[in-house]
Amino acid sequence: MLSKYEFDVIEFLKNNPKNQKCFDCGNPNPRWCSVNQGIFLCLKCAGLHKNYKNPGISTIRSLQVESWDDTFLQFILLGGNEKYEN
């Protein structure tokens, strides 16, 4: 379960129009995030990221269920779809 702080940070980032679509395929309303890349993903693309052979490539977390430590929150605050695209 997300704390209020985790929820507030994630909601702030989800309100960015660029984060309202899956970074990989463009599907609306992504519910997953690649923490170390700071990108927002749909279920299908998050599953593909989870299957990468090297887990350091993409660490996946749910935007609704899993807890986020401060390090993970800092990664996504510094990231986001638009920043990663650029």
Side-chain angles (χ1 to χ4, degrees):
M1 187 83 179
L2 296 174
S3 70
K4 173 145 177 37
Y5 173 70
E6 293 166 323
F7 178 83
D8 289 345
V9 169
I10 290 169
E11 285 302 305
F12 169 77
L13 293 167
K14 284 172 44 179
N15 283 328
N16 179 328
K18 292 282 189 171
N19 294 337
Q20 293 175 3
K21 293 183 180 177
C22 174
F23 182 83
D24 286 355
C25 72
N27 280 339
N29 198 21
R31 298 179 189 268
W32 297 86
C33 186
S34 172
V35 176
N36 51 322
Q37 295 174 352
I39 57 175
F40 291 73
L41 301 165
C42 69
L43 177 62
K44 178 182 173 188
C45 292
L48 293 173
H49 279 245
K50 280 187 173 189
N51 287 325
Y52 290 155
K53 294 191 186 286
N54 181 347
I57 293 174
S58 193
T59 303
I60 302 298
R61 283 282 186 269
S62 168
L63 294 171
Q64 298 175 319
V65 179
E66 297 176 279
S67 63
W68 290 68
D69 65 26
D70 286 336
T71 303
F72 288 168
L73 290 173
Q74 290 301 315
F75 271 123
I76 64 167
L77 281 168
L78 293 172
N81 289 0
E82 184 172 21
K83 289 181 185 176
Y84 197 76
E85 186 177 294
N86 291 332

